[in-house]
Amino acid sequence: MQKIIAANWKMYKTRQEARETAAAVAAALNEQPTPHEVVVFAPFTAIAEVADAFAASQVQAGAQDVWPAVEGAFTGEISPRMLQDAGAVWVLTGHSERRHVLGESDELVGRKTAFALEQGLKVMLCIGEKLEERESGQLEDVLRRQLDSGLPAGGDALEGRFAVAYEPVWAIGTGKVAGPDEVLATHAVVRRLLCERLGETGNRIPILYGGSVKPANAGNLIGLDNVDGLLIGGASLDAQSFVQIIRA
């Protein structure tokens, strides 16, 4: 399975800053290509800039969110067609900050995921538990609930168009990283849950790890069983740092 290395730039970078960072990443990968699939989830305002900078490279542009409608009176939201028009190929759904900071429900995440896929975008569905949920033994229940509501029907059509990113909420932006044993155990649970829902297709859905990934720990993480890629936040904002992770 091809590994996926994905950058989530969150609410950072003006258009010029995004263009300069994307150009630096593209130049580095054009000079020394990677076998991995590389995606940059840029802010809405910078998607077109990023897509243009990556046009002659192997990197794809993505969006950080989407609304499940073609168009309409949804002030402040953005549709799949708008994202595609800007050059986005991928979209994130269910990121922990959307769930826990902005209050998105599992049901809404599921609707966004299904509609984005229906409209031709590739989707990376984010799942993960809070510290108190892990410590109280709810890890599998939380992941099962998020997958049950987030996975669309028609599992056979997901291969090549869908990925899951496991992000322990307690490790995002905190400097804490789940240990190798924790990552192995949790990704094994995610794999089992995917196979319960999707059958054999569940073995071919990439599972990424996201949670304070940096150049220093990326190589160890990407080498673990059932870790099919990395979702990187702060360390992806610097082109050199991101390229080091891609090459880890």
Side-chain angles (χ1 to χ4, degrees):
M1 187 186 302
Q2 186 181 25
K3 306 279 188 180
I4 302 173
I5 309 297
N8 178 14
W9 285 353
K10 306 190 180 186
M11 199 177 71
Y12 293 96
K13 295 191 181 295
T14 63
R15 288 184 300 158
Q16 180 173 340
E17 291 166 345
R19 182 170 57 248
E20 291 171 352
T21 305
V25 172
L29 296 184
N30 286 340
E31 182 179 333
Q32 183 181 336
T34 175
H36 306 320
E37 183 171 2
V38 182
V39 186
V40 172
F41 293 102
F44 295 146
T45 53
I47 291 172
E49 303 283 352
V50 167
D52 287 347
F54 289 145
S57 79
Q58 64 185 110
V59 188
Q60 297 178 317
Q64 298 171 20
D65 192 31
V66 66
W67 187 254
V70 172
E71 57 187 9
F74 303 105
T75 301
E77 297 297 340
I78 195 162
S79 72
R81 186 174 67 159
M82 292 172 176
L83 297 177
Q84 291 163 324
D85 183 57
V89 176
W90 281 87
V91 66
L92 286 175
T93 59
H95 190 277
S96 60
E97 290 155 3
R98 303 290 318 173
R99 295 179 188 269
H100 302 300
V101 178
L102 300 171
E104 287 195 5
S105 66
D106 293 335
E107 184 272 337
L108 178 56
V109 172
R111 286 199 290 126
K112 288 183 175 185
T113 302
F115 191 77
L117 286 165
E118 178 187 310
Q119 295 298 304
L121 285 165
K122 297 180 180 182
V123 175
M124 188 174 294
L125 170 67
C126 301
I127 62 172
E129 83 287 4
K130 294 183 286 188
L131 183 60
E132 58 268 30
E133 291 170 330
R134 171 176 278 271
E135 291 180 340
S136 62
Q138 299 179 63
L139 171 65
E140 183 166 339
D141 290 340
V142 171
L143 299 183
R144 183 184 296 278
R145 186 193 76 233
Q146 292 174 343
L147 281 173
D148 282 349
S149 60
L151 281 171
D156 291 345
L158 293 179
E159 191 173 346
R161 307 177 54 230
F162 180 77
V164 173
Y166 165 65
E167 35 170 27
V169 180
W170 47 272
I172 297 172
T174 64
K176 298 179 181 178
V177 182
D181 290 343
E182 292 172 307
V183 175
L184 280 168
T186 306
H187 278 232
V189 171
V190 176
R191 181 68 68 200
R192 174 167 53 79
L193 294 174
L194 284 171
C195 289
E196 286 179 9
R197 281 289 307 271
L198 303 175
E200 181 57 30
T201 299
N203 283 317
R204 299 189 294 273
I205 299 298
I207 305 172
L208 286 73
Y209 174 79
S212 293
V213 177
K214 296 176 173 59
N217 60 29
N220 290 333
L221 289 166
I222 199 72
L224 295 174
D225 191 35
N226 278 323
V227 176
D228 306 309
L230 301 169
L231 178 59
I232 305 110
S236 72
L237 296 173
D238 176 76
Q240 182 178 359
S241 171
F242 185 46
V243 170
Q244 287 177 337
I245 293 172
I246 294 169
R247 293 178 177 160

